[in-house]
């Protein structure tokens, strides 16, 4: 039996005051999550604040990115050990908003802006290895663009990303990961992936993990779905056998809706 996870990705939202209010709101209204794990991925500037706010609660805290070196001349970057030193225990890696394939052209932006932060399969793998080395629990993301889905390439793209993120890891290391399947076209659009299709692709992720690290590791590994998860659609997603939880953006920014998602994860056990 895999323990479900409900994870909130706050993205670039919440200064320290807002982060404290949101975290306290979740702590104050959340019932005991039973068998579910609850993690909030907060801006780096709010890590210490939120770690303090959720102390003595079942909520755990993660960073949204890390750099693969321990220290040095990398202006603006944050190392795994720095994250650990805040008391956070998790880290998000390879979110599509950080990969060089986000593909969303906003007004006033040029093609040069679209890659955002340029994470690649290679840097995602390097960051995953570093996270494991410093003892952080990584949620590593994969997912296809709309054009890739329309071209019938979803399984190839997602499978390739999963193979790349696992490159060089031992089965014991792979067993420490959580993988999030987040179709890029479903993120922040309100257009959730059909639950059965999300389940199918999460199954593709699991089968690649089985090839790389063996069936026992694949059976135990948690695979989350992300992309427009809301209190209205979460039960259908959580009911799927290959979906072990959610990675949630928008609906994690209000205590009330995030707490409802946590309740749905707990009820799925
Ligand atoms: P939304 O839930 O806002 O679609 O965001 C999903 C996401 O990117 C979580 O990492």
């Amino acid at each position: 039996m895999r323990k479900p996870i409900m994870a909130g990705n706050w993205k670039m939202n919440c200064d320290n005051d807002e982060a404290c209010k949101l975290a306290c709101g979740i702590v104050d209204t959340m019932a005991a999550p039973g068998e579910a794990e609850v993690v909030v991925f907060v801006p780096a500037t709010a890590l210490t604040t939120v770690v303090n706010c959720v102390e003595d609660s079942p909520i755990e805290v993660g960073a949204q990115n890390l750099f693969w070196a321990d220290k040095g001349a990398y202006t603006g970057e944050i190392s795994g050990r720095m994250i650990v030193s805040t008391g956070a225990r998790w880290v998000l890696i390879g979110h599509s908003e950080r990969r060089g394939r986000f593909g969303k052209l906003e007004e006033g932006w040029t093609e040069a802006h679209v890659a955002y932060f340029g994470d690649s399969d290679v840097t995602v793998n390097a960051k995953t290895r570093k996270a494991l080395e410093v003892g952080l629990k990584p949620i590593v993301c994969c997912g296809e663009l709309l054009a890739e889905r329309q071209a019938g390439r979803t399984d190839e793209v997602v499978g390739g990303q999963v193979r790349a993120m696992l490159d060089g890891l031992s089965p014991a290391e792979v067993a420490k990961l959580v993988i999030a399947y987040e179709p890029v076209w479903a993120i922040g659009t309100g257009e959730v992936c059909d639950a059965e299709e999300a389940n199918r692709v999460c199954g593709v992720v699991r089968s690649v993990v089985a090839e790389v690290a063996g069936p026992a590791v694949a059976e135990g590994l948690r695979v989350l779905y992300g992309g427009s998860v809301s209190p209205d659609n979460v039960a259908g997603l959580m009911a799927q056998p290959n979906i072990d939880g959610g990675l949630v953006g928008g609906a994690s920014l209000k205590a009330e809706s995030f707490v409802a998602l946590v309740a749905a994860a707990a009820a799925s056990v």
Side-chain angles (χ1 to χ4, degrees), residues 43-87:
T45 46
L47 283 169
T48 308
T49 300
V50 175
V51 165
N52 288 332
C53 293
V54 302
E55 208 183 358
D56 303 325
S57 89
I59 299 167
E60 297 193 44
V61 182
Q64 298 174 8
N65 184 34
L66 83 166
F67 194 66
W68 58 82
D70 286 326
K71 59 179 171 179
Y74 306 105
T75 303
E77 291 297 327
I78 296 171
S79 76
R81 286 185 212 288
M82 290 172 183
I83 294 167
V84 170
S85 75
T86 68

Side-chain angles (χ1 to χ4, degrees), residues 9 11 95 97 182 186-188 227-229 247-250:
N9 174 8
K11 307 191 179 183
H95 193 281
E97 286 154 21
E182 297 204 306
I187 294 178
S228 297
V229 176
L247 179 57
V248 186

Side-chain angles (χ1 to χ4, degrees), residues 99-190:
R99 287 181 184 256
R101 57 200 301 285
F102 187 50
K104 196 159 110 186
L105 207 56
E106 292 177 19
E107 199 181 353
W109 289 59
T110 67
E111 290 291 341
H113 292 99
V114 170
Y116 281 9
F117 313 111
D119 261 353
S120 67
D121 280 343
V122 172
T123 61
V124 168
N125 177 254
K127 290 177 177 190
T128 303
R129 290 173 188 231
K130 182 54 71 174
L132 292 171
E133 185 190 310
V134 302
L136 286 168
K137 298 187 257 189
I139 297 184
V140 196
C141 305
C142 58
E144 82 286 358
L145 301 170
L146 181 59
E148 291 164 339
R149 172 162 285 268
Q150 287 168 338
R153 296 184 52 226
T154 298
D155 297 8
E156 168 204 334
V157 169
V158 170
Q161 289 174 338
V162 173
R163 263 190 197 85
M165 71 175 71
L166 303 181
D167 189 37
L169 300 185
S170 68
E173 288 171 324
V174 175
K176 292 181 180 160
L177 304 183
V178 175
I179 297 179
Y181 166 57
E182 297 204 306
V184 179
W185 48 270
I187 294 178
T189 58

Side-chain angles (χ1 to χ4, degrees), residues 235-257:
L237 291 160
M238 291 302 310
Q240 300 293 329
N242 268 316
I243 298 179
D244 304 312
L247 179 57
V248 186
S252 75
L253 290 174
K254 289 215 162 67
E256 193 184 36
S257 50

